[in-house]
Amino acid sequence: MIKKSTNLCKITETTSSAAAVDGVLSAFRSICGDDGVSLGETVREQHGKDESVHRCRPPDVVVFPRCVEEVSALAKLCHRHQLPIIPFGTGTGLEGGVGAVKGGVCFSLRNMDQILDLHPEDFDVTVEPGVTRKALNSYLRETGLWFPVDPGADASLCGMAATSASGTNAVRYGTMRENVMNLEVVLADGSVIHTAGRNRRPRKTAAGYNLTNLFVGSEGTLGIITKTTLRLYGVPEEMVSAVCSFSSVQAAVDSTVQILQAGVPIARIEFLDEVMIDACNKFSSLSYPVSPTLFLEFHGSERSLEEQVNTTEDITQSNGGSDFQWARDAETRNRLWKARHDAWYAALAMRPGCKAYATDVCVPLSRLPHIIVETKEDLIESRLTGHIVGHVGDGNFHCLMVMDPSDQDELHRVHLFSQRLARRALAMDGTCTGEHGVGLGKRSLLCEEVGPSVIRVMQSLKDAIDPNNLMNPGKILL
């Protein structure tokens, strides 16, 4: 009886949302034009999913605002008619963060694609949500500056702020949390705020609550990010990459920990297990030994690079690592890192017709060898096709599992494995997600991680900022 009642409630809620949307379509069109509003099934389907396996209903309508004033006006309408709001950047997320759990209106921000304020002398820039990571770095090419946070996908920079994205360069340059200086945010009622004050961009501040970092990682549940001010960095004088293989996972990860303990300011240090390296070899036409492998990159002056490389080589060789295979010129380096970033597609190619499920955890560095070894054993015992790849320089790694979505037994084993992996990380004083976020998939794990009292504080913040639960409902908090 309870189940039937719940289903009836959901059907009523869905019908109510769609009916409310029908009543405001003309107002939406008056704000952003006929081309800025879409009811098309294909468009709605595209905007109701990301790269994850999580699926739910698409939004009732997709709107394409062109400026913050239009975002604000549209949000005011949604607030007046109690319509859920789901912000959408590029759809590259991995935890179901853009699904329309309660229907409503998807705000696709791709038409807001301006780079607004570049201050090269101050090493900062302000961009709109349609600007992607690659587009910004292409724009900066002649300035001697770059933005180093690199999650692999060419994601929207405001979307990266919303999900607190990280990536291969985080060990040296930090994540989005360390690199966002200010945000312009449209709240659920349409009001516009600047988290550090309008036009403020100091390198540090002690003024009041850190609202910027409250919204970084909020996954669209508190507001729509319409501008972000970012830290920039000088392009290094020299860059060189290397590949080193090992006889065991333990030796590779031990080397990572020792390199960081030695104070080497390494820019990237990525781990690929033998399953992943085999997939990358086949997909990207490489010929690396099929064994646990580190991809490394060093940034700095010619003299500092020599010191970094010598120290790193001594450490890897003491752990039985192979001689370095070098990638010195830009073309070879780019090919190497493209192979790393194509790991998702390489894994999928190993089982044509299947789907990939990616999960990530992060632990203190000293626990990293232990958790990776245990995870590999768990994959074998669970009879799962799993590839391990990670930003091991900051204790974060991913497990990419390729599965047959029609095989219910395999799906069940994947679910149980991902739960065990997350709880294994929590038992080692880590987190259930280092960079993918909570979204739909890890809401119960978040409660286990931070505890009910912290969840209550999070909920009180959500209730204060979005009392009607219109902003991306159903995500992060249960």
Side-chain angles (χ1 to χ4, degrees), residues 28-29 31-40 42-44 46-47 59 61-67 70-71 74 88-89 105-112:
F28 284 167
R29 292 188 177 105
I31 293 169
C32 48
D34 289 343
D35 292 342
V37 180
S38 179
L39 293 169
T42 301
V43 173
R44 291 189 299 113
Q46 288 173 343
H47 287 80
V61 62
V62 181
V63 294
F64 299 87
R66 295 159 293 193
C67 60
E70 290 187 0
V71 175
L74 290 165
F88 189 95
V105 185
C106 174
F107 283 51
S108 180
L109 303 168
R110 70 186 188 192
N111 291 334
M112 297 173 63

Side-chain angles (χ1 to χ4, degrees), residues 286-355:
L286 303 174
S287 56
Y288 295 120
V290 180
S291 59
T293 300
L294 292 180
F295 284 17
L296 310 104
E297 187 163 279
F298 306 89
H299 295 176
S301 65
E302 185 175 345
R303 181 173 179 180
S304 69
L305 283 189
E306 183 179 354
E307 295 174 353
Q308 292 178 47
V309 168
N310 288 341
T311 301
T312 302
E313 279 190 308
D314 288 344
I315 291 170
T316 57
Q317 289 179 3
S318 72
N319 285 292
S322 67
D323 291 338
F324 282 0
Q325 295 185 49
W326 293 103
R328 298 181 185 275
D329 61 277
E331 182 180 349
T332 308
R333 282 200 326 273
N334 290 340
R335 188 163 61 248
L336 169 69
W337 291 108
K338 185 178 187 304
R340 162 60 185 90
H341 287 321
D342 284 346
W344 173 274
Y345 306 104
L348 277 172
M350 298 295 280
R351 287 183 70 183
C354 289
K355 299 290 185 182

Side-chain angles (χ1 to χ4, degrees), residues 17 48 50 55 87 102 155 180 207 262 289 429 444:
S17 171
D50 55 17
R55 292 290 179 266
K102 297 185 177 182
V180 173
D429 304 325
S444 60

Side-chain angles (χ1 to χ4, degrees), residues 179-198:
N179 287 289
V180 173
M181 302 167 67
N182 199 351
L183 295 168
E184 179 184 80
V185 181
V186 176
L187 301 180
D189 64 0
S191 58
V192 182
I193 66 168
H194 298 82
T195 56
R198 183 183 291 272

Side-chain angles (χ1 to χ4, degrees), residues 91-359:
T92 56
L94 292 168
E95 286 295 343
V98 296
V101 175
K102 297 185 177 182
V105 185
C106 174
F107 283 51
S108 180
L109 303 168
R110 70 186 188 192
N111 291 334
M112 297 173 63
D113 59 358
Q114 298 300 303
I115 297 172
L116 298 170
D117 293 298
L118 172 62
H119 301 96
E121 69 282 3
D122 295 325
F123 294 85
D124 65 64
V125 67
T126 300
V127 301
E128 290 185 328
V131 180
T132 66
R133 174 183 62 84
K134 289 182 180 179
L136 176 59
N137 280 327
S138 177
Y139 181 88
L140 294 172
R141 189 168 292 144
E142 302 302 319
T143 68
L145 301 173
W146 72 315
F147 183 70
V149 180
D150 176 7
D154 189 22
S156 155
L157 289 158
C158 287
M160 287 168 60
T163 56
S164 191
S166 182
T168 57
N169 287 311
V171 62
R172 178 158 179 169
Y173 298 99
T175 71
M176 290 301 285
R177 286 201 186 277
E178 291 77 45
N179 287 289
V180 173
M181 302 167 67
N182 199 351
L183 295 168
E184 179 184 80
V185 181
V186 176
L187 301 180
D189 64 0
S191 58
V192 182
I193 66 168
H194 298 82
T195 56
R198 183 183 291 272
N199 298 326
R200 304 297 176 196
R201 48 189 183 87
R203 301 297 284 183
K204 63 180 182 179
T205 177
Y209 298 136
N210 189 344
L211 293 185
T212 300
N213 269 356
L214 174 63
F215 283 89
V216 172
S218 62
E219 301 183 36
T221 62
L222 299 179
I224 306 168
I225 297 174
T226 51
K227 290 186 185 70
T228 179
T229 300
L230 303 167
R231 295 177 184 268
L232 300 176
Y233 296 80
V235 174
E237 180 184 328
E238 298 282 347
M239 297 185 189
V240 63
S241 299
V243 179
C244 181
S245 59
F246 295 83
S247 60
S248 69
V249 172
Q250 185 81 41
V253 183
D254 281 347
S255 293
T256 300
V257 175
Q258 291 165 22
I259 289 164
L260 296 172
Q261 288 173 338
V264 177
I266 197 159
R268 308 190 202 192
I269 183 163
E270 297 285 296
F271 171 79
L272 290 77
D273 73 351
E274 70 278 6
V275 182
M276 189 74 258
I277 203 74
D278 183 41
C280 286
N281 276 347
K282 291 172 180 174
F283 186 79
S284 300
S285 300
L286 303 174
S287 56
Y288 295 120
V290 180
S291 59
T293 300
L294 292 180
F295 284 17
L296 310 104
E297 187 163 279
F298 306 89
H299 295 176
S301 65
E302 185 175 345
R303 181 173 179 180
S304 69
L305 283 189
E306 183 179 354
E307 295 174 353
Q308 292 178 47
V309 168
N310 288 341
T311 301
T312 302
E313 279 190 308
D314 288 344
I315 291 170
T316 57
Q317 289 179 3
S318 72
N319 285 292
S322 67
D323 291 338
F324 282 0
Q325 295 185 49
W326 293 103
R328 298 181 185 275
D329 61 277
E331 182 180 349
T332 308
R333 282 200 326 273
N334 290 340
R335 188 163 61 248
L336 169 69
W337 291 108
K338 185 178 187 304
R340 162 60 185 90
H341 287 321
D342 284 346
W344 173 274
Y345 306 104
L348 277 172
M350 298 295 280
R351 287 183 70 183
C354 289
K355 299 290 185 182
Y357 175 75
T359 188

